Amino acid sequence: LAKTTQPISMDSYEGQEVNITCSHNNIATNDYITWYQQFPSQGPRFIIQGYKTKVTNEVASLFIPADRKSSTLSLPRVSLSDTAVYYCLVVGYNQGGKLIFGQGTELSVKP
Amino acid sequence: GAVVSQHPSRVICKSGTSVKIECRSLDFQATTMFWYRQFPKQSLMLMATSNEGSKATYEQGVEKDKFLINHASLTLSTLTVTSAHPEDSSFYICSARGGTGRETQYFGPGTRLLVL
């Protein structure tokens, strides 16, 4: 499974757009990218996943360049309640869905 | 998204006792369930993968005789921490996914275990 690298922490202010970039240089052809959000003492919550180009849902957008060696999670107009740890994961298509978590990015949104 | 529940949400037990944690997929059939452990200020660590009706596959370094996993049905998996000790105190989280390929994995709310 491809290893991921993302910033340990980020700070933002309410109403701003936040972009968290994740590197996954060794991503394999059939791997896909998924992002989760975790609040303290809770299980991770699925945000978005994609294979290439751009994916958008009601919560976030995911941008994946053509070489797929990185991806960027974009959170529009964050609020205080978006303060959480965000995990970028690469999922092997033939790995039975196994998720190997890295350290994640601790996002702090300030008023 | 799909709903996964865990029971209990927190448990305190004495050293040497066994504790069972249940994980249920409430609105879908989970062909695969996973168990994770998370220590304070750390990331989730995958402990084992279980498929319905077959033996669980444990990650390296996880004692299968200490952490017994049963996936008896498509909606229920249990993790039993046998002869628990204070170092087993942690946050245990399960997840479930249905089907194969790019099926999304959904997580339970977690179980806080404190061993005295």
Side-chain angles (χ1 to χ4, degrees):
Chain A
L1 295 173
K3 182 180 177 181
T4 59
T5 303
Q6 51 184 123
I8 295 175
S9 64
M10 292 182 69
D11 290 334
S12 182
Y13 291 93
E14 281 190 294
Q16 288 187 331
E17 177 184 82
V18 171
N19 296 307
I20 306 174
T21 297
C22 176
S23 297
H24 28 79
N25 292 316
N26 296 322
I27 190 168
T29 302
N30 291 325
D31 293 347
Y32 59 99
I33 300 139
T34 189
W35 286 78
Y36 284 82
Q37 173 194 57
Q38 187 182 28
F39 298 112
S41 296
Q42 294 186 28
R45 183 176 77 106
F46 171 79
I47 301 175
I48 197 166
Q49 74 179 32
Y51 181 76
K52 61 180 179 180
T53 62
K54 177 184 176 182
V55 180
T56 298
N57 61 22
E58 64 276 7
V59 177
S61 294
L62 179 60
F63 299 91
I64 306 169
D67 66 5
R68 304 202 323 124
K69 293 183 182 299
S70 67
S71 60
T72 299
L73 174 72
S74 181
L75 305 172
R77 297 180 300 282
V78 294
S79 63
L80 296 176
S81 62
D82 292 317
T83 294
V85 178
Y86 292 81
Y87 293 99
C88 162
L89 300 107
V90 170
V91 189
Y93 185 83
N94 296 320
Q95 296 293 324
K98 183 189 272 193
L99 298 179
I100 303 299
F101 282 77
Q103 62 188 54
T105 297
E106 189 168 7
L107 173 66
S108 177
V109 180
K110 302 174 183 178
Chain B
V3 179
V4 177
S5 69
Q6 279 184 244
H7 178 79
S9 57
R10 59 178 61 192
V11 57
I12 301 173
C13 69
K14 293 182 179 180
S15 184
T17 61
S18 295
V19 174
K20 180 185 283 189
I21 302 169
E22 290 187 350
C23 176
R24 293 182 185 272
S25 57
L26 299 185
D27 52 1
F28 68 104
Q29 293 188 323
T31 53
T32 309
M33 286 184 165
F34 304 85
W35 287 94
Y36 297 82
R37 180 167 56 179
Q38 186 175 32
F39 293 107
K41 298 295 183 181
Q42 294 187 24
S43 185
L44 284 80
M45 185 193 80
L46 178 65
M47 299 175 67
T49 302
S50 74
N51 293 294
E52 186 264 339
S54 61
K55 289 184 178 180
T57 303
Y58 290 81
E59 294 299 304
Q60 193 171 9
V62 178
E63 299 175 60
K64 62 179 182 180
D65 294 330
K66 181 169 183 62
F67 299 100
L68 301 179
I69 292 172
N70 185 283
H71 191 164
S73 75
L74 285 172
T75 59
L76 173 65
S77 177
T78 60
L79 168 68
T80 301
V81 183
T82 63
S83 187
H85 289 97
E87 58 265 30
D88 297 322
S89 298
S90 189
F91 191 51
Y92 291 86
I93 311 170
C94 74
S95 68
R97 71 192 287 263
T100 58
R102 297 176 185 169
E103 291 289 330
T104 299
Q105 194 171 135
Y106 295 97
F107 285 80
T111 297
R112 178 75 59 190
L113 171 64
L114 176 61
V115 184
L116 302 177

